[in-house]
Amino acid sequence: MKYVDEFRDRHLARQLAAAIAAEVDPEREYRLMEFCGGHTHAIFRYGIQQLMPPNLRFVHGPGCPVCVLPMTRLDQAIAMTREHGVTLCTYGDLMRVPASGRRTLLKAKAAGADVRMIYSTQDVLRIARDEPERQVVFMAIGFETTTPPTAVAILQARAEGLKNLSFLCNHVLTPPALRAILSLAGPEGVRLDGILGPSHVSTVIGTRPYEFVPNQFGIPVVIAGFEPLDVMQSALMLVRQINDGRREVENQYSRAVGEGGNARALELMARVFVTRPSFEWRGLGFLPESAPALAEDYADLDAERRFPVTVETSREIKGCECPAILRGLKEPTECKLFGAVCTPDNPMGACMVSSEGACAAYWSHRTHMPSSGLNR
Amino acid sequence: MTDGSRFSARLDLEQGRVDMSHGAGGRAMAQLIDELFKQALDNEWLSQGNDQALFSVPPGRLVMSTDAHVVSPLFFPGGDIGSLAVHGTLNDVAMSGARPLHLAASFILEEGFPLADLARIVASLAQAAREAGVAVVTGDTKVVERGKGDGVFITTTGIGVVPEGIAISGDRARPGDVILINGHIGDHGIAILSQRENLGFETAIQSDSAALHGLVADMIAAVPDIHCLRDPTRGGLATTLNELAQQSGVGMRVRETDIPVREAVSAACELLGLDPAYVANEGKLVAICPADRAETLLATMRAHPLGAQSAIIGEVVEDSLGFVQMQTRFGGERLLDWLTGEQLPRIC
């Protein structure tokens, strides 16, 4: 496949692996956090960790929008279907995420709620147009990557005067999450030597918003593409920065990312959204200025205002280590539930339910480990 | 056969719709059966008009399989629910090495369904059965109220007879055996997905829906000692390999680079975040045979039109835990696990 297979060439992979092995200092450890679930997925799908020298470890970050969505927001969505009878539309990978009491959107659907899986915001607009008698709510989710399409849908809903469509905004912003992780000091914190930055996010916001990472925390960043060779090349770039004592934001994904990002997308987001004072992230708690909400001009399209519900603070499942895994403090295999009661067939935590989650990636792409207890 | 004089007016196959009377057992149902089903399927058993088909069977062991077909959309590139209902069940019968003999077909129709679409589906089912050389010898029709069905559901049951000396079963894979597939995987699933109304991508991919018993007949004629045959439908190749590994108490190793996948299927999977190994097929089979017969079997498969792209994709290995491992294109190794739930597209 043109423009894909080139980034999966095994001979180039061997060369990159050899270059990394030759350049790492055997006396030190390299702990590189991949922020994005897309990177985690690539690392496991292609067995990249196996190609790295033993003193280079990938630490899995919180970069899966499904994994960082707190249960309360799902409880809120389910309550909207129950109390207001709305048609709730959302992307596929949110359907199986556990809410309180082991509920999910899929189970709510089976119990009679009108929950629909959509592929794009255009589907939501179509449903609202075709079924004017239904109140349609789009449960929007994702980092800066999926935020501009939501902004477009909001503007389109306004332009068409759709009275039966509103938006439950769960979008979140990556730089505040990265800041929160790096700010955790002491036993709560994670020691990191480099960051593989989210490339799809940077196609929207550019590379500049990450400059605080080297400037304030002294940690180098490489904005890294999601193909396996991208990840390996980015690891090599980080190793070189670390060895040279440089602390910069470098851009490996230059084929799509510029310093300033996508001006049109940023302008659309600025027009429609304002930043919430605080938003809850699963595993990271309430983070200031970390999520967009609909601006006052679009308040009438805000599902939270149109369909108010009261949801008790949701409690995580006992023993679930998702919060620590999302902060890079623990590996999935350090969770007692992992593989025992928590599997993709029966996920207890969000890291297992989303294919981008660290636990699901560990489980789905585990190699044969008869001694590790990961048996059927 | 049709007797136009029994009914005051002919069934309106252009503008008419299914209504509750078509399932009520009265004159309307008799007319639907006469003017649509019997017309299209036309054979000596059906025309007798009994509630069962009476036929003699050749000596040997009989195989029976049944399958309910629910598919949305009903018409897709490369087929429709009618041909699928024939191919799906014939293939389940054929995977025992059997020669299929007869089919039974049950239709559950939703009130309001256009008779023109029903006629298209029945004609397609009839053609698929004719091409396969198998008669639909008995059937049933029910109508459910509007909103309680999805247009048309079809359940087909097939019987067949296994030749002497053939012992194909999912528990016969042995370490050292070789794993083959008869062509590109994922075509059916992607063809269906591309037609879903809320997924506006276009591809030239056609469903691979096909009856495989002719290919199977050639295969067992060349290599009677095939250990396992299975069609990787829902859950795709990965799920089928896991089923066989589990049943046989063995492990399997496959090579990603040897598994045939069309570029368009690969691209669609990339876009949607799906893995072709888990995407459904309707005209594929996985065969497992002793290593020393593998090249003969491969050559036989490639000589058949439905096996031109056949490939050896891996080996059976010793592993009491029944793991299926894949050597990735990238040179690493990973598990090819059972499918969890439904494959869901990811958001970024």
PDB file of all heavy atoms in Angstrom, chain A residues 249-272:
ATOM      1  N   VAL A 249      12.096  20.317  21.150  1.00  0.00           N
ATOM      2  CA  VAL A 249      10.971  19.654  20.491  1.00  0.00           C
ATOM      3  C   VAL A 249      11.401  19.410  19.043  1.00  0.00           C
ATOM      4  O   VAL A 249      11.673  20.360  18.306  1.00  0.00           O
ATOM      5  CB  VAL A 249       9.693  20.519  20.507  1.00  0.00           C
ATOM      6  CG1 VAL A 249       8.579  19.821  19.715  1.00  0.00           C
ATOM      7  CG2 VAL A 249       9.229  20.764  21.940  1.00  0.00           C
ATOM      8  N   GLU A 250      11.540  18.163  18.683  1.00  0.00           N
ATOM      9  CA  GLU A 250      11.885  17.835  17.293  1.00  0.00           C
ATOM     10  C   GLU A 250      10.650  17.244  16.620  1.00  0.00           C
ATOM     11  O   GLU A 250       9.778  16.686  17.281  1.00  0.00           O
ATOM     12  CB  GLU A 250      13.025  16.819  17.253  1.00  0.00           C
ATOM     13  CG  GLU A 250      14.389  17.431  17.541  1.00  0.00           C
ATOM     14  CD  GLU A 250      15.496  16.398  17.327  1.00  0.00           C
ATOM     15  OE1 GLU A 250      15.479  15.349  18.017  1.00  0.00           O
ATOM     16  OE2 GLU A 250      16.349  16.640  16.469  1.00  0.00           O
ATOM     17  N   ASN A 251      10.628  17.344  15.307  1.00  0.00           N
ATOM     18  CA  ASN A 251       9.458  16.886  14.564  1.00  0.00           C
ATOM     19  C   ASN A 251       9.838  15.764  13.604  1.00  0.00           C
ATOM     20  O   ASN A 251      10.394  16.001  12.546  1.00  0.00           O
ATOM     21  CB  ASN A 251       8.852  18.080  13.807  1.00  0.00           C
ATOM     22  CG  ASN A 251       7.609  17.700  13.039  1.00  0.00           C
ATOM     23  OD1 ASN A 251       7.039  16.627  13.260  1.00  0.00           O
ATOM     24  ND2 ASN A 251       7.182  18.571  12.147  1.00  0.00           N
ATOM     25  N   GLN A 252       9.532  14.525  13.994  1.00  0.00           N
ATOM     26  CA  GLN A 252       9.786  13.399  13.098  1.00  0.00           C
ATOM     27  C   GLN A 252       8.718  13.330  12.015  1.00  0.00           C
ATOM     28  O   GLN A 252       8.968  12.894  10.901  1.00  0.00           O
ATOM     29  CB  GLN A 252       9.790  12.091  13.916  1.00  0.00           C
ATOM     30  CG  GLN A 252      10.096  10.819  13.121  1.00  0.00           C
ATOM     31  CD  GLN A 252       8.873  10.202  12.474  1.00  0.00           C
ATOM     32  OE1 GLN A 252       7.747  10.428  12.908  1.00  0.00           O
ATOM     33  NE2 GLN A 252       9.096   9.423  11.417  1.00  0.00           N
ATOM     34  N   TYR A 253       7.510  13.780  12.351  1.00  0.00           N
ATOM     35  CA  TYR A 253       6.354  13.623  11.454  1.00  0.00           C
ATOM     36  C   TYR A 253       6.224  14.839  10.554  1.00  0.00           C
ATOM     37  O   TYR A 253       5.139  15.388  10.372  1.00  0.00           O
ATOM     38  CB  TYR A 253       5.101  13.443  12.324  1.00  0.00           C
ATOM     39  CG  TYR A 253       3.910  12.820  11.629  1.00  0.00           C
ATOM     40  CD1 TYR A 253       3.998  11.583  11.015  1.00  0.00           C
ATOM     41  CD2 TYR A 253       2.681  13.458  11.638  1.00  0.00           C
ATOM     42  CE1 TYR A 253       2.893  11.005  10.402  1.00  0.00           C
ATOM     43  CE2 TYR A 253       1.565  12.884  11.025  1.00  0.00           C
ATOM     44  CZ  TYR A 253       1.679  11.655  10.406  1.00  0.00           C
ATOM     45  OH  TYR A 253       0.576  11.083   9.802  1.00  0.00           O
ATOM     46  N   SER A 254       7.349  15.261   9.980  1.00  0.00           N
ATOM     47  CA  SER A 254       7.342  16.507   9.216  1.00  0.00           C
ATOM     48  C   SER A 254       6.514  16.393   7.935  1.00  0.00           C
ATOM     49  O   SER A 254       6.146  17.401   7.345  1.00  0.00           O
ATOM     50  CB  SER A 254       8.781  16.904   8.880  1.00  0.00           C
ATOM     51  OG  SER A 254       9.414  15.814   8.234  1.00  0.00           O
ATOM     52  N   ARG A 255       6.183  15.145   7.526  1.00  0.00           N
ATOM     53  CA  ARG A 255       5.382  15.017   6.314  1.00  0.00           C
ATOM     54  C   ARG A 255       3.964  15.548   6.513  1.00  0.00           C
ATOM     55  O   ARG A 255       3.237  15.738   5.548  1.00  0.00           O
ATOM     56  CB  ARG A 255       5.363  13.574   5.816  1.00  0.00           C
ATOM     57  CG  ARG A 255       4.747  12.538   6.734  1.00  0.00           C
ATOM     58  CD  ARG A 255       4.928  11.149   6.121  1.00  0.00           C
ATOM     59  NE  ARG A 255       4.280  10.086   6.859  1.00  0.00           N
ATOM     60  CZ  ARG A 255       4.813   9.429   7.878  1.00  0.00           C
ATOM     61  NH1 ARG A 255       6.011   9.757   8.327  1.00  0.00           N
ATOM     62  NH2 ARG A 255       4.149   8.450   8.484  1.00  0.00           N
ATOM     63  N   ALA A 256       3.554  15.758   7.759  1.00  0.00           N
ATOM     64  CA  ALA A 256       2.183  16.255   7.969  1.00  0.00           C
ATOM     65  C   ALA A 256       2.096  17.390   8.993  1.00  0.00           C
ATOM     66  O   ALA A 256       1.091  18.072   9.059  1.00  0.00           O
ATOM     67  CB  ALA A 256       1.281  15.114   8.412  1.00  0.00           C
ATOM     68  N   VAL A 257       3.145  17.562   9.787  1.00  0.00           N
ATOM     69  CA  VAL A 257       3.056  18.497  10.909  1.00  0.00           C
ATOM     70  C   VAL A 257       3.940  19.716  10.676  1.00  0.00           C
ATOM     71  O   VAL A 257       5.094  19.585  10.278  1.00  0.00           O
ATOM     72  CB  VAL A 257       3.477  17.793  12.221  1.00  0.00           C
ATOM     73  CG1 VAL A 257       3.689  18.805  13.347  1.00  0.00           C
ATOM     74  CG2 VAL A 257       2.427  16.772  12.630  1.00  0.00           C
ATOM     75  N   GLY A 258       3.381  20.888  10.938  1.00  0.00           N
ATOM     76  CA  GLY A 258       4.168  22.125  10.912  1.00  0.00           C
ATOM     77  C   GLY A 258       4.199  22.723  12.304  1.00  0.00           C
ATOM     78  O   GLY A 258       3.460  22.304  13.188  1.00  0.00           O
ATOM     79  N   GLU A 259       5.033  23.734  12.471  1.00  0.00           N
ATOM     80  CA  GLU A 259       5.207  24.337  13.800  1.00  0.00           C
ATOM     81  C   GLU A 259       3.895  24.937  14.330  1.00  0.00           C
ATOM     82  O   GLU A 259       3.563  24.823  15.495  1.00  0.00           O
ATOM     83  CB  GLU A 259       6.249  25.449  13.669  1.00  0.00           C
ATOM     84  CG  GLU A 259       7.218  25.506  14.814  1.00  0.00           C
ATOM     85  CD  GLU A 259       8.270  26.553  14.553  1.00  0.00           C
ATOM     86  OE1 GLU A 259       7.939  27.747  14.655  1.00  0.00           O
ATOM     87  OE2 GLU A 259       9.406  26.167  14.216  1.00  0.00           O
ATOM     88  N   GLY A 260       3.193  25.585  13.403  1.00  0.00           N
ATOM     89  CA  GLY A 260       2.011  26.335  13.834  1.00  0.00           C
ATOM     90  C   GLY A 260       0.703  25.577  13.746  1.00  0.00           C
ATOM     91  O   GLY A 260      -0.337  26.083  14.146  1.00  0.00           O
ATOM     92  N   GLY A 261       0.729  24.363  13.215  1.00  0.00           N
ATOM     93  CA  GLY A 261      -0.500  23.586  13.110  1.00  0.00           C
ATOM     94  C   GLY A 261      -1.382  24.031  11.960  1.00  0.00           C
ATOM     95  O   GLY A 261      -0.936  24.694  11.027  1.00  0.00           O
ATOM     96  N   ASN A 262      -2.630  23.658  12.063  1.00  0.00           N
ATOM     97  CA  ASN A 262      -3.600  23.927  11.004  1.00  0.00           C
ATOM     98  C   ASN A 262      -4.441  25.148  11.390  1.00  0.00           C
ATOM     99  O   ASN A 262      -5.316  25.076  12.262  1.00  0.00           O
ATOM    100  CB  ASN A 262      -4.486  22.687  10.826  1.00  0.00           C
ATOM    101  CG  ASN A 262      -5.510  22.840   9.722  1.00  0.00           C
ATOM    102  OD1 ASN A 262      -6.018  23.930   9.480  1.00  0.00           O
ATOM    103  ND2 ASN A 262      -5.805  21.750   9.050  1.00  0.00           N
ATOM    104  N   ALA A 263      -4.146  26.276  10.747  1.00  0.00           N
ATOM    105  CA  ALA A 263      -4.755  27.545  11.143  1.00  0.00           C
ATOM    106  C   ALA A 263      -6.286  27.490  11.033  1.00  0.00           C
ATOM    107  O   ALA A 263      -6.999  27.992  11.909  1.00  0.00           O
ATOM    108  CB  ALA A 263      -4.202  28.666  10.261  1.00  0.00           C
ATOM    109  N   ARG A 264      -6.773  26.875   9.979  1.00  0.00           N
ATOM    110  CA  ARG A 264      -8.224  26.815   9.756  1.00  0.00           C
ATOM    111  C   ARG A 264      -8.917  26.026  10.877  1.00  0.00           C
ATOM    112  O   ARG A 264      -9.935  26.444  11.421  1.00  0.00           O
ATOM    113  CB  ARG A 264      -8.486  26.175   8.390  1.00  0.00           C
ATOM    114  CG  ARG A 264      -9.919  25.870   8.075  1.00  0.00           C
ATOM    115  CD  ARG A 264     -10.606  27.011   7.330  1.00  0.00           C
ATOM    116  NE  ARG A 264     -11.979  26.647   7.001  1.00  0.00           N
ATOM    117  CZ  ARG A 264     -13.049  27.249   7.525  1.00  0.00           C
ATOM    118  NH1 ARG A 264     -12.910  28.236   8.378  1.00  0.00           N
ATOM    119  NH2 ARG A 264     -14.269  26.865   7.183  1.00  0.00           N
ATOM    120  N   ALA A 265      -8.308  24.882  11.225  1.00  0.00           N
ATOM    121  CA  ALA A 265      -8.891  24.053  12.287  1.00  0.00           C
ATOM    122  C   ALA A 265      -8.859  24.792  13.620  1.00  0.00           C
ATOM    123  O   ALA A 265      -9.832  24.768  14.387  1.00  0.00           O
ATOM    124  CB  ALA A 265      -8.135  22.734  12.395  1.00  0.00           C
ATOM    125  N   LEU A 266      -7.758  25.466  13.899  1.00  0.00           N
ATOM    126  CA  LEU A 266      -7.626  26.197  15.157  1.00  0.00           C
ATOM    127  C   LEU A 266      -8.643  27.335  15.233  1.00  0.00           C
ATOM    128  O   LEU A 266      -9.237  27.593  16.285  1.00  0.00           O
ATOM    129  CB  LEU A 266      -6.198  26.742  15.309  1.00  0.00           C
ATOM    130  CG  LEU A 266      -5.113  25.677  15.519  1.00  0.00           C
ATOM    131  CD1 LEU A 266      -3.723  26.294  15.414  1.00  0.00           C
ATOM    132  CD2 LEU A 266      -5.290  24.999  16.879  1.00  0.00           C
ATOM    133  N   GLU A 267      -8.867  27.958  14.098  1.00  0.00           N
ATOM    134  CA  GLU A 267      -9.811  29.076  14.055  1.00  0.00           C
ATOM    135  C   GLU A 267     -11.244  28.566  14.315  1.00  0.00           C
ATOM    136  O   GLU A 267     -12.000  29.160  15.072  1.00  0.00           O
ATOM    137  CB  GLU A 267      -9.689  29.756  12.681  1.00  0.00           C
ATOM    138  CG  GLU A 267     -10.460  31.042  12.513  1.00  0.00           C
ATOM    139  CD  GLU A 267     -11.838  30.818  11.907  1.00  0.00           C
ATOM    140  OE1 GLU A 267     -11.943  30.009  10.960  1.00  0.00           O
ATOM    141  OE2 GLU A 267     -12.781  31.441  12.409  1.00  0.00           O
ATOM    142  N   LEU A 268     -11.566  27.432  13.704  1.00  0.00           N
ATOM    143  CA  LEU A 268     -12.896  26.838  13.915  1.00  0.00           C
ATOM    144  C   LEU A 268     -13.112  26.483  15.383  1.00  0.00           C
ATOM    145  O   LEU A 268     -14.172  26.736  15.955  1.00  0.00           O
ATOM    146  CB  LEU A 268     -13.040  25.552  13.085  1.00  0.00           C
ATOM    147  CG  LEU A 268     -13.339  25.708  11.603  1.00  0.00           C
ATOM    148  CD1 LEU A 268     -13.206  24.351  10.910  1.00  0.00           C
ATOM    149  CD2 LEU A 268     -14.762  26.236  11.428  1.00  0.00           C
ATOM    150  N   MET A 269     -12.071  25.894  15.996  1.00  0.00           N
ATOM    151  CA  MET A 269     -12.174  25.495  17.400  1.00  0.00           C
ATOM    152  C   MET A 269     -12.342  26.726  18.294  1.00  0.00           C
ATOM    153  O   MET A 269     -13.156  26.729  19.223  1.00  0.00           O
ATOM    154  CB  MET A 269     -10.931  24.688  17.809  1.00  0.00           C
ATOM    155  CG  MET A 269     -10.972  23.244  17.306  1.00  0.00           C
ATOM    156  SD  MET A 269      -9.347  22.452  17.240  1.00  0.00           S
ATOM    157  CE  MET A 269      -8.906  22.376  18.951  1.00  0.00           C
ATOM    158  N   ALA A 270     -11.580  27.780  17.971  1.00  0.00           N
ATOM    159  CA  ALA A 270     -11.640  28.996  18.790  1.00  0.00           C
ATOM    160  C   ALA A 270     -13.018  29.651  18.682  1.00  0.00           C
ATOM    161  O   ALA A 270     -13.485  30.276  19.628  1.00  0.00           O
ATOM    162  CB  ALA A 270     -10.545  29.959  18.355  1.00  0.00           C
ATOM    163  N   ARG A 271     -13.653  29.488  17.528  1.00  0.00           N
ATOM    164  CA  ARG A 271     -14.939  30.134  17.323  1.00  0.00           C
ATOM    165  C   ARG A 271     -16.043  29.442  18.141  1.00  0.00           C
ATOM    166  O   ARG A 271     -16.940  30.066  18.661  1.00  0.00           O
ATOM    167  CB  ARG A 271     -15.295  30.078  15.823  1.00  0.00           C
ATOM    168  CG  ARG A 271     -16.431  31.004  15.527  1.00  0.00           C
ATOM    169  CD  ARG A 271     -16.824  31.211  14.088  1.00  0.00           C
ATOM    170  NE  ARG A 271     -15.926  30.810  13.036  1.00  0.00           N
ATOM    171  CZ  ARG A 271     -16.356  30.470  11.821  1.00  0.00           C
ATOM    172  NH1 ARG A 271     -17.652  30.466  11.551  1.00  0.00           N
ATOM    173  NH2 ARG A 271     -15.510  30.151  10.869  1.00  0.00           N
ATOM    174  N   VAL A 272     -15.940  28.134  18.261  1.00  0.00           N
ATOM    175  CA  VAL A 272     -17.039  27.352  18.822  1.00  0.00           C
ATOM    176  C   VAL A 272     -16.845  26.997  20.303  1.00  0.00           C
ATOM    177  O   VAL A 272     -17.795  26.854  21.055  1.00  0.00           O
ATOM    178  CB  VAL A 272     -17.208  26.064  17.977  1.00  0.00           C
ATOM    179  CG1 VAL A 272     -18.211  25.126  18.598  1.00  0.00           C
ATOM    180  CG2 VAL A 272     -17.632  26.426  16.567  1.00  0.00           C
TER     181      VAL A 272
END
